[in-house]
Amino acid sequence: MKVEACDGAEREHIWAQIQRRLTELGCSHGEDQKGHYLPSLVIPATPSDGLIPASVKPVTEDLRPTSKDIFSRAYVNCEFRGRPLVCMLDTGCDRSVIERRFIKSRDLQPVRFSLMGAGRNSLKVDGETFIEFSIDGHPMEADVSVSSSMDELLLGCDFLTKHKGRWDFATGIVQLGDIEVQTRPKRAPGIACRRLVVAEKFTVPARH
């Protein structure tokens, strides 16, 4: 800051404040005032007793989206046999799964897949079945494994691939073929398993 020309009283007042501030900063103020550029100082143009204290407002809301806000929108409005069913879309799940209590014993088919959680822990599989349900009123169907380790319907990559799923994570809209559905956060306590990996038995012929 450079001291500009002003009337005598105002100049003396400003210079007194400069000297006081330089003293606080440990600087010498005995040099010639003319033409000297001083350290960057905030000096009011009005007497100190007329100053209005600056007002700093605290940040009361974080507008940045959190990972929880973004990734919790993975559920869709689903109905199974005339009743609402908690249904999650999961791109990290190889095989779609439904909880055992939703399936009658007579509808169970023999086990074809063994399921493992994200920690490579085996999950109990009671069988396989074919289900018909609806998402946002649109009829759907899926081949699923049945497990008592789940507490909902988990639709994985097999379902999304079959229905040519395209997921816009920014808007939360999932396109399944010719229809669009809106994902939402879960409105119930967290589930026990979030990811499944399929391990299917097979035989490698000799000399292969």
Side-chain angles (χ1 to χ4, degrees), residues 2-194:
K2 186 175 182 179
V3 179
E4 303 290 346
C6 53
D7 61 63
E10 184 178 359
R11 181 182 180 86
E12 291 179 3
H13 174 74
I14 293 177
W15 187 248
Q17 292 186 67
I18 292 176
Q19 291 178 325
R20 183 165 56 252
R21 184 58 177 147
L22 287 174
T23 301
E24 293 173 356
L25 296 174
C27 302
S28 173
H29 51 77
E31 300 177 1
D32 181 18
Q33 299 176 12
K34 296 182 180 180
H36 283 269
Y37 285 88
L38 302 175
S40 178
L41 306 174
V42 179
I43 301 172
T46 58
S48 59
D49 55 0
L51 292 178
I52 299 176
S55 176
V56 179
K57 296 182 178 180
V59 177
T60 58
E61 181 179 0
D62 189 353
L63 301 179
R64 295 172 300 176
T66 64
S67 58
K68 182 178 180 181
D69 298 327
I70 298 173
F71 296 108
S72 65
R73 293 190 303 173
Y75 291 82
V76 293
N77 296 320
C78 175
E79 284 191 6
F80 178 59
R81 293 176 176 169
R83 294 185 178 183
L85 175 63
V86 178
C87 179
M88 177 182 180
L89 305 181
D90 190 352
T91 58
C93 176
D94 294 337
R95 173 72 173 171
S96 297
V97 191
I98 192 171
E99 186 184 358
R100 173 68 180 85
R101 66 187 174 94
F102 297 119
I103 304 299
K104 298 177 181 179
S105 297
R106 67 172 182 267
D107 295 330
L108 283 178
Q109 301 296 322
V111 175
R112 295 171 46 216
F113 304 97
S114 60
L115 304 181
M116 294 179 291
R120 297 290 174 176
N121 298 318
S122 296
L123 300 178
K124 180 183 178 182
V125 180
D126 299 297
E128 316 292 331
T129 193
F130 173 81
I131 62 172
E132 294 179 333
F133 57 99
S134 65
I135 296 178
D136 282 348
H138 302 286
M140 296 286 174
E141 57 185 35
D143 291 303
V144 297
S145 294
V146 181
S147 174
S148 56
S149 300
M150 306 301 298
D151 63 356
E152 61 186 9
L153 172 60
L154 191 64
L155 297 176
C157 287
D158 55 341
F159 173 83
L160 295 171
T161 301
K162 178 181 178 181
H163 291 82
K164 300 178 181 178
R166 299 177 63 183
W167 195 334
D168 187 335
F169 290 97
T171 63
I173 294 177
V174 178
Q175 185 172 345
L176 300 172
D178 296 329
I179 67 172
E180 290 184 350
V181 296
Q182 178 68 57
T183 58
R184 59 169 177 78
K186 187 177 182 180
R187 301 190 183 99
I191 62 176
C193 181
R194 283 283 194 265

